[in-house]
Structures are given as structure tokens and as C-alpha cells.
Amino acid sequence: MEDRNNVTEFILLGLSTDKKVRILCFVFFLFCYLAIWLGNLIIVISVSCSQLITQPMYFFLNCLALSDLFYTSTVTPKLMTDLLLEKKVISYKNCMTQLFTTHFFGGIEVFILTGMAYDRYVAICKPLHYAIIMNRQRRHSILTASGAGGLLHSLGLFLLAIVLPFCGPNEIDHYFCDVYPLLKLACTDTHKIGLFVIANSGLMGLGIFVVLMASYILILYKVHTYSAESRHKALSTCKDKVFTLFYTIIVPMLNPLIYTLRNMEMKNSIRRVWCNKRFWEGRLMI
């Protein structure tokens, strides 16, 4: 316990030591962060203030937008602040908190995307039973399962990280606290813990990948029998989610673009909500 208390804070090496590069990165990330909040808030308000919230697809889209906001806020504000500082320091407690919240909201986001893939599978492969299968209780069950999945994933990594003893160097070669950089600093043999980390993230990633691929293979098989027009309409709702699974890892800013620019219902809802005089009058009165 004494060894572990030798390190009370960590120094983040960040992205670059060049001041000009850091300023350029700050401007870029500030733009991205503002775009993330603007785009996802538009989705949340547009869906929540319209009838789209009763449809499973948009219910999950609303949840995805919220998880995007929380997920990016666990890293980006600290990253932007550190870009303006010469010495980037984070306390041990804040480091562990960032590790937990990043994987928690990141895990929730990935599980929600999996739920959205299941929703599209039911809508395309079982259209006559869609309303019955994707009822309100089922939607909330999927959302609860997403939260539980994210919690188990992040809690597992968090427990592995807090047992690590730190008694030597405290420089993390990264711009935020994550498990792998911390393993390099631990003054103990981390081989077994590293295997647990790989098992935690690997099994979750593999399981989600199998579910996604299975759902889309079944969807592709089903739409193969559709007419050309119906096939295009069905597939247009699925491609976005496959691309989003990868893009959200890089930057959640792309989510609003993917889900609004190619979705007529979403664009119509945005127009109705944001161009509604009563909506703005109600906001001003508040």
C-alpha cells in the first residue's frame, strides 16, 4: 500500500511538445467539441420534442446522441486544457475516474449501436411483428442492458487498474488515462493483468462484432428478395450504423452528420421543431 501511495499524480506527455502544433490541435479539437455538442443537441431536442421519440429507431438514436456527449466529455475538455499547458498533470483519483467513465460511456455507446442493429434486423426481416417485438418494454430493456454492459466492461478495467502499484516513473505516454499506458508504469509483473485486459475488451469486441455481422448478413439475405427500390430503402438504414461504429471511436462529431443528412424523417423533424414559433416562444418564457 505504501508503494502505491508513492505516486499521487501522473504527468501526461500529450500529443506534441511543439507549442505551435499544440495550438493548432487546440483550435481543431475546440471546433470538433463544439460541433459534437451542437449536432448531438440538435438530434436530442428534435427527437425528444417530436413524435419520432415513440419510434424505436429514433429512441435509440436519441440515446446514442446523449452517450456521444458524455463519452467525448470524459476526455476532450481535459485534452484541450492540457494543450495550452506546458506541464500536464492529473491526480491519481482523477486518472482512475477518467479511465472508468471513458470506458463506461464508450461501452454504452457500442452496445446501443448493437441494439440499433437488432432494431433494423427486426424491422427488415420481421416487419409484420416489428411493433410487437420492439415495444416500449423491449426498447427500455435493450437500453438497460447497454448500461449494464458498459458498467461491467468499465468496472472490470477499473478494478484491474486500481490494484496496480505505482512506485517509480509517473509519466503516461498518452493524452488521457487508459489501462495500457498505466500497465507500463506499474512496478510489478503485469503480464497476467494484461491478459485480463485483453480478455475484457477482446471478448466484448468479438461478441459485438459477431452480433453485428450476423444481423447484417441476415438483413442482406432478406433484402436480396426485395425489389430494387425496396432494397435501396432497406439498406440505406443499415449502412449508416456500420460506418458509425467505427467513426464514433475517432470522433462522435460524425454521428449527427450520418444520421441527419441521409434521413428525410430526421431532417423534417428538425425543420418542424427548430422552425416552430411556439417552440421558441416556450423557451423564451422559461
Side-chain angles (χ1 to χ4, degrees):
M1 183 64 69
E2 292 180 358
D3 288 340
R4 185 178 298 133
N5 290 335
N6 284 346
V7 173
T8 58
E9 64 181 22
F10 296 100
I11 298 174
L12 300 170
L13 297 184
L15 297 175
S16 175
T17 56
D18 190 295
K19 189 173 182 179
K20 292 182 179 179
V21 173
R22 296 205 311 269
I23 292 175
L24 289 174
C25 288
F26 173 81
V27 174
F28 174 72
F29 289 125
L30 177 61
F31 168 79
C32 290
Y33 192 56
L34 292 176
I36 289 169
W37 271 91
L38 177 62
N40 285 289
L41 277 179
I42 288 175
I43 289 180
V44 170
I45 295 173
S46 300
V47 172
S48 301
C49 297
S50 69
Q51 292 298 317
L52 291 180
I53 192 65
T54 61
Q55 300 182 35
M57 174 180 175
Y58 296 101
F59 170 80
F60 290 123
L61 176 58
N62 190 53
C63 296
L64 180 65
L66 286 172
S67 69
D68 271 344
L69 294 177
F70 286 112
Y71 174 59
T72 192
S73 295
T74 61
V75 174
T76 311
K78 172 64 176 171
L79 169 60
M80 291 191 299
T81 302
D82 287 343
L83 287 171
L84 301 177
L85 302 175
E86 291 297 329
K87 188 177 181 181
K88 308 158 187 64
V89 178
I90 184 170
S91 68
Y92 177 85
K93 291 183 179 179
N94 288 342
C95 180
M96 294 299 116
T97 301
Q98 187 181 61
L99 184 151
F100 175 81
T101 54
T102 300
H103 285 278
F104 176 60
F105 291 114
I108 289 177
E109 184 170 336
V110 174
F111 283 115
I112 288 176
L113 284 167
T114 308
M116 294 173 76
Y118 174 72
D119 170 69
R120 291 300 86 199
Y121 159 74
V122 176
I124 294 172
C125 298
K126 300 181 180 180
L128 297 179
H129 303 284
Y130 178 69
I132 298 175
I133 296 175
M134 295 304 297
N135 55 37
R136 185 175 181 180
Q137 182 178 358
R138 179 64 58 84
R139 297 197 299 267
H140 286 277
S141 296
I142 292 175
L143 183 60
T144 302
S146 298
L151 178 61
L152 289 175
H153 168 64
S154 59
L155 188 61
L157 295 178
F158 174 75
L159 292 176
L160 290 174
I162 61 172
V163 299
L164 292 174
F166 300 103
C167 50
N170 65 336
E171 291 186 342
I172 297 179
D173 190 12
H174 212 322
Y175 58 88
F176 76 102
C177 284
D178 204 1
V179 181
Y180 290 109
L182 289 174
L183 289 178
K184 297 178 182 179
L185 298 181
C187 51
T188 186
D189 183 9
T190 59
H191 178 70
K192 292 183 179 180
I193 297 178
L195 292 178
F196 281 118
V197 173
I198 294 173
N200 181 302
S201 302
L203 288 176
M204 186 187 82
L206 179 62
I208 291 172
F209 177 78
V210 170
V211 171
L212 286 173
M213 288 301 101
S215 65
Y216 286 117
I217 288 173
L218 290 172
I219 289 173
L220 290 172
Y221 175 78
K222 183 68 176 181
V223 301
H224 180 71
T225 61
Y226 288 6
S227 64
E229 183 179 354
S230 299
R231 189 182 304 126
H232 175 74
K233 184 177 180 180
L235 287 175
S236 65
T237 64
C238 303
K239 290 179 182 178
D240 295 338
K241 297 167 186 60
V242 176
F243 292 128
T244 305
L245 179 62
F246 299 98
Y247 288 149
T248 48
I249 298 174
I250 302 171
V251 53
M253 179 181 65
L254 295 176
N255 263 349
L257 299 177
I258 292 172
Y259 284 104
T260 56
L261 293 181
R262 297 185 58 193
N263 191 308
M264 188 56 66
E265 278 189 303
M266 193 66 221
K267 286 190 284 188
N268 289 336
S269 177
I270 290 174
R271 292 192 191 99
R272 285 195 297 268
V273 172
W274 294 94
C275 297
N276 190 330
K277 185 178 179 181
R278 293 181 179 178
F279 173 81
W280 289 109
E281 287 177 350
R283 300 284 80 75
L284 291 173
M285 290 177 65
I286 293 174

